Amino acid sequence: MSARAQIGVTGLAVMGRNLARNFARHGYTVAVHNRSYAKTESLVADHGTDGDFVPSESTADFVASIARPRKIVIMVKAGGPTDAVIDELIPHLEEGDVVIDGGNAHFPDTIRRERKLADLGLHFVGMGVSGGEEGALNGPSIMPGGPKESYATLGPILEDISAKVDGVPCCTWVGPDGAGHFVKMVHNGIEYADMQLIAEAYDLLRHGLDADAAEIGKIFEEWNAGDLESFLIEITADVLQHVDAETGKAFVDVVLDQAEQKGTGRWTVQNALDLGVPITGIAEATFARALSGSVPQREAGRAALASDAGTWDVTDRDAFVEDVRLALYASKVVAYSQGFDQIAAASAESGWGIDRGAMARIWRGGCIIRAKFLNRITEAYERDADLPLLIADPYFADIVGKGLQAWRRVVSQAALNGVPTPAFSSSLAYYDGVRAERLPAALIQAQRDFFGAHTYRRVDKDGTFHTEWSGDRTEHDA
């Protein structure tokens, strides 16, 4: 078989199929392969006019059809299936070939795979891809990691097919080994928080205004014309105004209120705990999904727990809507700030050298969390690449500060009226915690020293100390 393809894609489910079509539409000759050859045939039959495809039934023919150094994108289910495809490819590859995992892999698996293939003289790239099936076809946000030298040949192709904002590709080299998949994981964690915050805003408007879904959809439509402009706000407006054909009811009212998850949010929270980074908004969003699916607990709670909630009496509709908008914006800023803190901590620990400004830049288009205010985040890191806290940037400190009283009103009113706002509330608590002059952690340290001799430090002198709590309570150096 003639080795004429410039890039190969194996795994032709929706994402892989659309990514292959995207390559072809940009003028690349694309080798395509799937475990079931019927999917390969279907792609060529249905979309052959998109460009030049080279279909193969066997792995050997697929690899042989790609010009060296080969660039092969794997688009299969994360975990065991990805390892199985890699193992199947290895015997047919040659030194310098590049294997790219475009799935939602857990970054420790990416690190392991990169080391394994490096020992064989092969390059392995963990590549985050965001934007869903539409993004894969029309231009996603792409977050490739792995050996930097592989980006010299792979990068121009990925930048070509990525989304563009102001002519700038939404793709850049993230960092070595697992950096690409790590950043995609945090992206998804921020996505969890963003979606939960939007859902809480909807719930607040529903309870506070006694409004129907379509009316609230119009409010989101208006919000999308301002600072909150984003893909998620846009689709929320659309979803809320959609009517179920079968029942004639608002579509959102016939959907079961149990949110599912594929694991990336959970991975983000677990990693943040390992790093000691507080990502409270992302964590609460992840737990909120878990609570929504806790059916026996919710049934028991509905049957036995009192609310003692007040009756929400909104006297100024427009003022209330504006309060919720400001609270949503402030809470979203906190979620992104926490996510970028996590990226900085992991980058420092692993020596990845991730440019947070570049990450904000490539998230401006193509991806699920694309939003107008990512331009502001990019600018913040351009002003100070080592910015220790995003919400302390002058722009964000000012804009969040202006909405602070609204944020407090929304959270307090929600609590008084029995409306759960875990992400709004935890984000406000984080804001107050990170700006506090002094936290009650001093008492916690004293308690820890009392029961476990865990020691403490003092505000008035250097060193570490322990008090003999069960003895004469003298203090000594630890």
Side-chain angles (χ1 to χ4, degrees):
M1 178 174 286
S2 171
R4 64 185 183 87
Q6 294 156 286
I7 195 161
V9 179
T10 180
L12 301 177
V14 174
M15 286 293 287
R17 184 185 186 95
N18 282 1
L19 201 62
R21 292 177 61 196
N22 192 352
F23 284 124
R25 286 179 173 187
H26 281 81
Y28 298 101
T29 299
V30 188
V32 288
H33 171 264
N34 194 77
R35 189 172 51 132
S36 164
Y37 189 56
K39 281 194 175 181
T40 309
E41 291 179 308
S42 169
L43 169 63
V44 176
D46 296 343
H47 304 291
T49 56
D50 280 341
D52 190 7
F53 295 104
V54 182
S56 295
E57 186 167 3
S58 72
T59 299
D61 286 347
F62 168 65
V63 174
S65 71
I66 306 168
R68 295 191 61 205
R70 301 179 182 94
K71 293 172 280 292
I72 299 174
V73 181
I74 300 172
M75 297 297 292
V76 302
K77 188 176 180 181
T82 299
D83 284 320
V85 171
I86 292 170
D87 288 342
E88 193 173 334
L89 287 171
I90 285 174
H92 307 286
L93 299 175
E94 297 173 82
E95 187 173 347
D97 288 348
V98 185
V99 178
I100 306 112
D101 176 11
N104 266 337
H106 198 194
F107 75 94
D109 288 338
T110 303
I111 294 172
R112 169 178 57 80
R113 290 165 182 151
E114 198 270 340
R115 290 172 179 167
K116 174 182 175 179
L117 269 66
D119 289 343
L120 300 173
L122 304 170
H123 297 299
F124 184 77
V125 172
M127 180 178 76
V129 180
S130 178
E133 57 186 276
E134 181 184 342
L137 180 61
N138 298 317
S141 173
I142 308 177
M143 295 150 262
K148 189 168 187 179
E149 55 266 36
S150 67
Y151 197 76
T153 55
L154 179 63
I157 300 175
L158 298 181
E159 290 177 14
D160 197 14
I161 69 157
S162 72
K164 310 292 187 302
V165 176
D166 300 327
V168 178
C170 293
C171 173
T172 191
W173 181 69
V174 176
D177 55 62
H181 274 145
F182 179 87
V183 165
K184 177 56 165 56
M185 178 193 76
V186 175
H187 164 286
N188 284 20
I190 294 171
E191 179 184 308
Y192 273 51
D194 210 341
M195 293 172 72
Q196 176 66 24
L197 289 166
I198 290 170
E200 290 179 18
Y202 153 73
D203 206 29
L204 287 163
L205 294 172
R206 186 170 64 90
H207 284 282
L209 302 178
D210 194 25
D212 61 26
E215 184 181 351
I216 299 170
K218 287 291 185 184
I219 292 171
F220 275 92
E221 202 171 74
E222 292 168 7
W223 286 354
N224 197 51
D227 288 342
L228 282 173
E229 180 190 333
S230 69
F231 173 71
L232 286 172
I233 294 288
E234 177 187 344
I235 68 169
T236 299
D238 197 358
V239 167
L240 289 175
Q241 295 177 79
H242 179 60
V243 176
D244 177 54
E246 185 175 337
T247 64
K249 297 179 179 179
F251 174 74
V252 73
D253 291 337
V254 300
V255 176
L256 189 64
D257 63 336
Q258 296 173 21
E260 298 180 359
Q261 53 184 305
K262 291 187 176 180
T264 47
R266 184 170 61 250
W267 291 344
T268 307
V269 176
Q270 289 169 339
N271 173 258
L273 289 170
D274 291 338
L275 292 170
V277 177
I279 55 165
T280 53
I282 296 170
E284 288 294 350
T286 306
F287 288 130
R289 291 197 189 189
L291 176 62
S292 76
S294 299
V295 177
Q297 291 82 2
R298 291 180 65 194
E299 288 178 349
R302 280 194 295 267
L305 302 180
S307 72
D308 287 336
T311 301
W312 212 323
D313 182 22
V314 173
T315 56
D316 188 332
R317 178 190 183 278
D318 291 343
F320 177 71
V321 170
E322 179 63 3
D323 275 1
V324 176
R325 186 190 73 82
L326 290 168
L328 175 57
Y329 189 92
S331 298
K332 282 163 67 80
V333 172
V334 167
Y336 281 75
S337 182
Q338 292 176 347
F340 280 107
D341 280 351
Q342 184 173 3
I343 289 172
S347 180
E349 182 177 89
S350 301
W352 286 333
I354 297 174
D355 180 345
R356 289 176 292 171
M359 297 308 98
R361 187 173 64 249
I362 67 173
W363 289 348
R364 294 183 304 163
C367 72
I368 302 302
I369 64 171
R370 60 185 182 267
K372 180 179 180 179
F373 86 150
L374 278 161
N375 284 315
R376 297 292 192 176
I377 296 176
T378 302
E379 291 166 3
Y381 286 116
E382 285 174 350
R383 284 190 289 271
D384 182 0
D386 298 319
L387 185 66
L389 180 70
L390 179 62
I391 54 175
D393 170 77
Y395 172 80
F396 288 112
D398 177 64
I399 202 75
V400 171
K402 288 177 178 175
L404 189 54
Q405 287 304 310
W407 198 6
R408 295 195 190 286
R409 282 193 295 269
V410 166
V411 169
S412 59
Q413 288 169 352
L416 289 170
N417 291 286
V419 178
T421 55
F424 270 51
S425 302
S426 66
S427 298
L428 178 57
Y430 172 85
Y431 176 91
D432 282 332
V434 80
R435 65 157 192 86
E437 185 70 29
R438 186 165 170 81
L439 293 169
L443 177 57
I444 294 171
Q445 277 302 92
Q447 291 170 333
R448 294 180 71 244
D449 189 59
F450 191 110
F451 66 70
H454 293 299
T455 74
Y456 54 88
R457 289 174 293 163
R458 298 175 59 100
V459 298
D460 53 359
K461 55 184 174 181
D462 294 334
T464 303
F465 304 92
H466 167 62
T467 292
E468 298 294 342
W469 295 102
S470 59
D472 61 5
R473 302 208 170 187
T474 57
E475 178 184 85
H476 56 79
D477 295 340

